[in-house]
Amino acid sequence: MIIKNNTIYDVSTALREAVFEYPTDGLTVEIKYCPRGSRRYISGTYYRVARNYENGKLIRLRINRRNSYPVAVQFKTSEYYRRRDTKGREIIYQKLRTVLFHTPEDLILAIFLHEFSHYLDHIEGRNGRYKQTKADKFAISMLEKLGVI
């Protein structure tokens, strides 16, 4: 795994240690800052196809340098609940789990693990559709295993 970190945050060792059990050959991770004026606290994308990257295998993370910590991030769960709207129709909602991240390094690790789940789906030949809950559950389980949350 190649890590290209253009931020001040020292996360390379944490990222490598978090996924040492998994295959990472050919994977590139880019860590950058969000563009100025961005309202996102962080964003992450896994590219199955990317220019200048053989077979894709690119995770790009962008963190906002103006974040104030702790930052609350919502992760999807596999639990659902039902409610009725004002017209009496039953609506199904997905339960979310909110996690507070007290450092930028932990926030970067969490989003990296989410995107890493998409990478694993790719190398295992699964399609990339409808996998956000699975990726969130993977990230949460790994963060718990690592003692971050």
Side-chain angles (χ1 to χ4, degrees):
M1 177 168 63
I2 299 168
I3 299 174
K4 298 177 180 178
N5 187 353
N6 295 322
T7 69
I8 61 169
Y9 308 116
D10 185 18
V11 293
S12 296
T13 302
L15 300 184
R16 288 182 204 287
E17 288 177 356
V19 297
F20 78 93
E21 304 173 358
Y22 298 95
T24 59
D25 294 341
L27 178 63
T28 302
V29 180
E30 288 182 356
I31 307 165
K32 301 178 177 185
Y33 290 109
C34 291
R36 293 201 190 282
S38 174
R39 295 182 183 191
R40 295 180 178 197
Y41 45 84
I42 194 165
S43 68
T45 307
Y46 174 68
Y47 294 91
R48 288 176 175 249
V49 178
R51 192 176 334 147
N52 300 326
Y53 291 92
E54 180 183 339
N55 301 321
K57 297 183 180 179
L58 169 64
I59 293 175
R60 181 171 291 141
L61 306 172
R62 292 177 182 257
I63 188 163
N64 196 324
R65 58 181 100 215
R66 290 192 173 85
N67 287 343
S68 64
Y69 295 88
V71 170
V73 179
Q74 292 188 322
F75 291 88
K76 294 179 179 181
T77 69
S78 293
E79 299 175 36
Y80 296 85
Y81 63 97
R82 299 167 189 264
R83 289 242 170 103
R84 298 222 176 255
D85 67 8
T86 56
K87 296 182 180 180
R89 296 176 295 203
E90 187 174 68
I91 308 293
I92 300 172
Y93 297 93
Q94 187 170 21
K95 287 187 179 180
L96 301 174
R97 178 176 174 182
T98 302
V99 178
L100 283 180
F101 292 100
H102 297 277
T103 67
E105 291 81 6
D106 289 346
L107 180 59
I108 290 169
L109 177 61
I111 304 307
F112 165 75
L113 289 168
H114 172 98
E115 299 306 332
F116 190 78
S117 176
H118 294 308
Y119 161 76
L120 291 175
D121 288 339
H122 179 197
I123 64 171
E124 292 170 3
R126 296 189 185 109
N127 74 28
R129 303 184 68 114
Y130 310 111
K131 300 283 191 296
Q132 295 305 309
T133 300
K134 179 180 173 291
D136 281 356
K137 287 172 62 177
F138 176 82
I140 288 289
S141 69
M142 292 298 292
L143 290 168
E144 288 173 340
K145 182 179 171 184
L146 295 166
V148 174
I149 58 172

Short mmCIF file of all heavy atoms in Angstrom, two decimals, residues 19 46 48 59 110-124 126-127 131-139 142:
data_model
loop_
_atom_site.label_atom_id
_atom_site.label_comp_id
_atom_site.label_asym_id
_atom_site.label_seq_id
_atom_site.Cartn_x
_atom_site.Cartn_y
_atom_site.Cartn_z
N VAL A 19 -5.07 -2.42 8.73
CA VAL A 19 -5.46 -3.36 7.67
C VAL A 19 -4.35 -4.37 7.35
O VAL A 19 -4.35 -4.97 6.28
CB VAL A 19 -5.89 -2.60 6.39
CG1 VAL A 19 -7.12 -1.76 6.66
CG2 VAL A 19 -4.76 -1.74 5.84
N TYR A 46 -13.59 5.73 -2.89
CA TYR A 46 -12.81 4.62 -3.45
C TYR A 46 -13.05 4.61 -4.94
O TYR A 46 -14.20 4.58 -5.39
CB TYR A 46 -13.18 3.27 -2.84
CG TYR A 46 -12.43 2.16 -3.56
CD1 TYR A 46 -11.06 2.06 -3.42
CD2 TYR A 46 -13.08 1.29 -4.43
CE1 TYR A 46 -10.34 1.10 -4.12
CE2 TYR A 46 -12.38 0.33 -5.12
CZ TYR A 46 -11.01 0.23 -4.96
OH TYR A 46 -10.31 -0.71 -5.67
N ARG A 48 -12.68 2.59 -8.33
CA ARG A 48 -12.43 1.32 -9.01
C ARG A 48 -11.66 1.55 -10.31
O ARG A 48 -10.91 0.69 -10.75
CB ARG A 48 -13.74 0.61 -9.33
CG ARG A 48 -14.42 0.06 -8.11
CD ARG A 48 -15.77 -0.55 -8.45
NE ARG A 48 -16.33 -1.18 -7.27
CZ ARG A 48 -16.47 -2.48 -7.13
NH1 ARG A 48 -16.15 -3.30 -8.11
NH2 ARG A 48 -16.97 -2.98 -6.03
N ILE A 59 -7.84 5.11 -2.98
CA ILE A 59 -8.67 5.70 -1.94
C ILE A 59 -8.21 7.14 -1.78
O ILE A 59 -7.03 7.39 -1.53
CB ILE A 59 -8.55 4.95 -0.60
CG1 ILE A 59 -9.14 3.55 -0.72
CG2 ILE A 59 -9.24 5.75 0.52
CD1 ILE A 59 -8.95 2.70 0.53
N ALA A 110 -11.19 6.39 10.45
CA ALA A 110 -12.57 5.90 10.30
C ALA A 110 -13.01 5.94 8.84
O ALA A 110 -13.57 4.95 8.32
CB ALA A 110 -13.51 6.74 11.16
N ILE A 111 -12.77 7.03 8.18
CA ILE A 111 -13.22 7.15 6.79
C ILE A 111 -12.36 6.26 5.88
O ILE A 111 -12.86 5.66 4.93
CB ILE A 111 -13.21 8.62 6.33
CG1 ILE A 111 -14.07 9.47 7.27
CG2 ILE A 111 -13.68 8.75 4.89
CD1 ILE A 111 -15.49 8.96 7.50
N PHE A 112 -11.07 6.12 6.20
CA PHE A 112 -10.23 5.19 5.45
C PHE A 112 -10.79 3.77 5.54
O PHE A 112 -10.89 3.07 4.54
CB PHE A 112 -8.79 5.22 5.98
CG PHE A 112 -7.96 4.05 5.52
CD1 PHE A 112 -7.49 3.99 4.22
CD2 PHE A 112 -7.69 2.99 6.38
CE1 PHE A 112 -6.75 2.90 3.77
CE2 PHE A 112 -6.94 1.91 5.95
CZ PHE A 112 -6.48 1.85 4.64
N LEU A 113 -11.17 3.34 6.74
CA LEU A 113 -11.70 1.98 6.91
C LEU A 113 -13.00 1.79 6.13
O LEU A 113 -13.22 0.73 5.55
CB LEU A 113 -11.89 1.67 8.39
CG LEU A 113 -10.59 1.49 9.18
CD1 LEU A 113 -10.87 1.47 10.67
CD2 LEU A 113 -9.84 0.24 8.72
N HIS A 114 -13.84 2.80 6.10
CA HIS A 114 -15.07 2.73 5.30
C HIS A 114 -14.73 2.51 3.83
O HIS A 114 -15.26 1.61 3.18
CB HIS A 114 -15.88 4.01 5.48
CG HIS A 114 -17.05 4.11 4.56
ND1 HIS A 114 -18.32 3.77 4.95
CD2 HIS A 114 -17.13 4.49 3.27
CE1 HIS A 114 -19.14 3.94 3.91
NE2 HIS A 114 -18.45 4.38 2.89
N GLU A 115 -13.81 3.31 3.31
CA GLU A 115 -13.43 3.19 1.90
C GLU A 115 -12.67 1.89 1.64
O GLU A 115 -12.80 1.29 0.57
CB GLU A 115 -12.60 4.39 1.45
CG GLU A 115 -13.33 5.73 1.56
CD GLU A 115 -14.66 5.78 0.84
OE1 GLU A 115 -14.84 5.06 -0.17
OE2 GLU A 115 -15.53 6.54 1.28
N PHE A 116 -11.91 1.42 2.62
CA PHE A 116 -11.17 0.17 2.48
C PHE A 116 -12.14 -1.00 2.29
O PHE A 116 -11.85 -1.94 1.56
CB PHE A 116 -10.27 -0.07 3.70
CG PHE A 116 -9.32 -1.21 3.52
CD1 PHE A 116 -8.16 -1.07 2.77
CD2 PHE A 116 -9.58 -2.44 4.10
CE1 PHE A 116 -7.29 -2.12 2.60
CE2 PHE A 116 -8.71 -3.50 3.94
CZ PHE A 116 -7.56 -3.35 3.18
N SER A 117 -13.30 -0.93 2.92
CA SER A 117 -14.32 -1.96 2.71
C SER A 117 -14.75 -2.02 1.25
O SER A 117 -14.95 -3.09 0.68
CB SER A 117 -15.53 -1.69 3.61
OG SER A 117 -16.55 -2.63 3.35
N HIS A 118 -14.89 -0.86 0.61
CA HIS A 118 -15.22 -0.83 -0.82
C HIS A 118 -14.09 -1.45 -1.65
O HIS A 118 -14.34 -2.15 -2.62
CB HIS A 118 -15.49 0.60 -1.28
CG HIS A 118 -16.70 1.21 -0.66
ND1 HIS A 118 -17.94 0.62 -0.66
CD2 HIS A 118 -16.86 2.39 -0.01
CE1 HIS A 118 -18.82 1.40 -0.05
NE2 HIS A 118 -18.18 2.47 0.37
N TYR A 119 -12.85 -1.18 -1.26
CA TYR A 119 -11.69 -1.78 -1.93
C TYR A 119 -11.75 -3.31 -1.82
O TYR A 119 -11.54 -4.02 -2.80
CB TYR A 119 -10.40 -1.24 -1.31
CG TYR A 119 -9.18 -2.08 -1.57
CD1 TYR A 119 -8.56 -2.07 -2.82
CD2 TYR A 119 -8.65 -2.89 -0.57
CE1 TYR A 119 -7.44 -2.85 -3.06
CE2 TYR A 119 -7.53 -3.68 -0.81
CZ TYR A 119 -6.93 -3.65 -2.06
OH TYR A 119 -5.82 -4.44 -2.30
N LEU A 120 -12.06 -3.82 -0.62
CA LEU A 120 -12.16 -5.27 -0.45
C LEU A 120 -13.25 -5.86 -1.33
O LEU A 120 -13.07 -6.92 -1.93
CB LEU A 120 -12.42 -5.62 1.02
CG LEU A 120 -11.26 -5.36 1.99
CD1 LEU A 120 -11.70 -5.64 3.42
CD2 LEU A 120 -10.03 -6.16 1.62
N ASP A 121 -14.39 -5.18 -1.42
CA ASP A 121 -15.46 -5.64 -2.32
C ASP A 121 -14.95 -5.72 -3.76
O ASP A 121 -15.25 -6.66 -4.49
CB ASP A 121 -16.66 -4.70 -2.27
CG ASP A 121 -17.43 -4.81 -0.97
OD1 ASP A 121 -17.31 -5.85 -0.29
OD2 ASP A 121 -18.16 -3.85 -0.63
N HIS A 122 -14.17 -4.72 -4.16
CA HIS A 122 -13.65 -4.66 -5.53
C HIS A 122 -12.72 -5.84 -5.81
O HIS A 122 -12.88 -6.54 -6.80
CB HIS A 122 -12.92 -3.33 -5.73
CG HIS A 122 -12.30 -3.17 -7.08
ND1 HIS A 122 -11.35 -2.23 -7.34
CD2 HIS A 122 -12.49 -3.81 -8.26
CE1 HIS A 122 -10.98 -2.31 -8.61
NE2 HIS A 122 -11.66 -3.26 -9.18
N ILE A 123 -11.75 -6.08 -4.92
CA ILE A 123 -10.79 -7.14 -5.21
C ILE A 123 -11.41 -8.53 -5.07
O ILE A 123 -10.88 -9.49 -5.63
CB ILE A 123 -9.49 -7.03 -4.36
CG1 ILE A 123 -9.77 -7.21 -2.88
CG2 ILE A 123 -8.79 -5.71 -4.65
CD1 ILE A 123 -8.52 -7.31 -2.04
N GLU A 124 -12.53 -8.61 -4.34
CA GLU A 124 -13.23 -9.89 -4.22
C GLU A 124 -14.27 -10.09 -5.32
O GLU A 124 -14.98 -11.08 -5.34
CB GLU A 124 -13.89 -10.00 -2.83
CG GLU A 124 -12.85 -10.11 -1.72
CD GLU A 124 -13.44 -9.97 -0.33
OE1 GLU A 124 -14.68 -9.84 -0.20
OE2 GLU A 124 -12.66 -10.00 0.62
N ARG A 126 -17.00 -8.24 -6.05
CA ARG A 126 -18.38 -7.84 -5.79
C ARG A 126 -18.68 -6.52 -6.50
O ARG A 126 -17.79 -5.71 -6.72
CB ARG A 126 -18.61 -7.66 -4.29
CG ARG A 126 -18.46 -8.93 -3.51
CD ARG A 126 -18.91 -8.71 -2.07
NE ARG A 126 -18.66 -9.91 -1.30
CZ ARG A 126 -17.72 -10.00 -0.37
NH1 ARG A 126 -16.96 -8.97 -0.08
NH2 ARG A 126 -17.55 -11.13 0.28
N ASN A 127 -19.95 -6.31 -6.81
CA ASN A 127 -20.29 -5.03 -7.43
C ASN A 127 -20.22 -3.93 -6.37
O ASN A 127 -20.20 -4.20 -5.18
CB ASN A 127 -21.65 -5.07 -8.14
CG ASN A 127 -22.84 -5.09 -7.19
OD1 ASN A 127 -22.77 -4.58 -6.08
ND2 ASN A 127 -23.92 -5.67 -7.63
N LYS A 131 -23.61 -0.69 -0.95
CA LYS A 131 -22.69 -1.24 0.04
C LYS A 131 -22.33 -0.25 1.14
O LYS A 131 -21.39 -0.47 1.89
CB LYS A 131 -21.39 -1.69 -0.65
CG LYS A 131 -21.54 -2.76 -1.71
CD LYS A 131 -21.74 -4.12 -1.11
CE LYS A 131 -21.62 -5.25 -2.07
NZ LYS A 131 -22.57 -5.35 -3.12
N GLN A 132 -23.06 0.85 1.27
CA GLN A 132 -22.70 1.85 2.27
C GLN A 132 -22.88 1.34 3.70
O GLN A 132 -22.02 1.56 4.56
CB GLN A 132 -23.49 3.14 2.06
CG GLN A 132 -23.17 3.85 0.75
CD GLN A 132 -21.69 4.14 0.60
OE1 GLN A 132 -21.07 4.70 1.51
NE2 GLN A 132 -21.12 3.76 -0.51
N THR A 133 -23.97 0.63 3.96
CA THR A 133 -24.18 0.09 5.30
C THR A 133 -23.11 -0.93 5.64
O THR A 133 -22.55 -0.92 6.74
CB THR A 133 -25.58 -0.54 5.42
OG1 THR A 133 -26.57 0.47 5.14
CG2 THR A 133 -25.82 -1.13 6.80
N LYS A 134 -22.79 -1.79 4.69
CA LYS A 134 -21.74 -2.80 4.90
C LYS A 134 -20.40 -2.12 5.21
O LYS A 134 -19.68 -2.53 6.12
CB LYS A 134 -21.62 -3.69 3.67
CG LYS A 134 -20.55 -4.75 3.78
CD LYS A 134 -20.52 -5.57 2.49
CE LYS A 134 -19.38 -6.53 2.46
NZ LYS A 134 -18.09 -5.90 2.36
N ALA A 135 -20.07 -1.07 4.47
CA ALA A 135 -18.81 -0.35 4.69
C ALA A 135 -18.81 0.34 6.04
O ALA A 135 -17.79 0.35 6.75
CB ALA A 135 -18.58 0.66 3.57
N ASP A 136 -19.94 0.93 6.44
CA ASP A 136 -20.02 1.56 7.76
C ASP A 136 -19.85 0.53 8.87
O ASP A 136 -19.15 0.78 9.85
CB ASP A 136 -21.37 2.28 7.92
CG ASP A 136 -21.41 3.63 7.22
OD1 ASP A 136 -20.38 4.05 6.66
OD2 ASP A 136 -22.48 4.26 7.24
N LYS A 137 -20.49 -0.63 8.73
CA LYS A 137 -20.38 -1.67 9.75
C LYS A 137 -18.94 -2.19 9.84
O LYS A 137 -18.44 -2.45 10.93
CB LYS A 137 -21.34 -2.81 9.43
CG LYS A 137 -22.79 -2.44 9.69
CD LYS A 137 -23.75 -3.49 9.20
CE LYS A 137 -23.57 -4.80 9.90
NZ LYS A 137 -24.56 -5.80 9.47
N PHE A 138 -18.26 -2.31 8.70
CA PHE A 138 -16.86 -2.73 8.70
C PHE A 138 -16.01 -1.70 9.46
O PHE A 138 -15.19 -2.06 10.31
CB PHE A 138 -16.35 -2.90 7.26
CG PHE A 138 -14.90 -3.23 7.16
CD1 PHE A 138 -14.46 -4.54 7.31
CD2 PHE A 138 -13.95 -2.25 6.91
CE1 PHE A 138 -13.11 -4.86 7.22
CE2 PHE A 138 -12.60 -2.55 6.82
CZ PHE A 138 -12.18 -3.86 6.97
N ALA A 139 -16.21 -0.42 9.14
CA ALA A 139 -15.42 0.63 9.79
C ALA A 139 -15.66 0.63 11.30
O ALA A 139 -14.71 0.69 12.09
CB ALA A 139 -15.77 2.00 9.19
N MET A 142 -13.96 -2.41 12.97
CA MET A 142 -12.51 -2.26 13.02
C MET A 142 -12.11 -1.20 14.06
O MET A 142 -11.13 -1.38 14.79
CB MET A 142 -11.96 -1.89 11.64
CG MET A 142 -12.07 -2.99 10.62
SD MET A 142 -11.13 -4.47 11.06
CE MET A 142 -9.46 -3.87 10.91
#
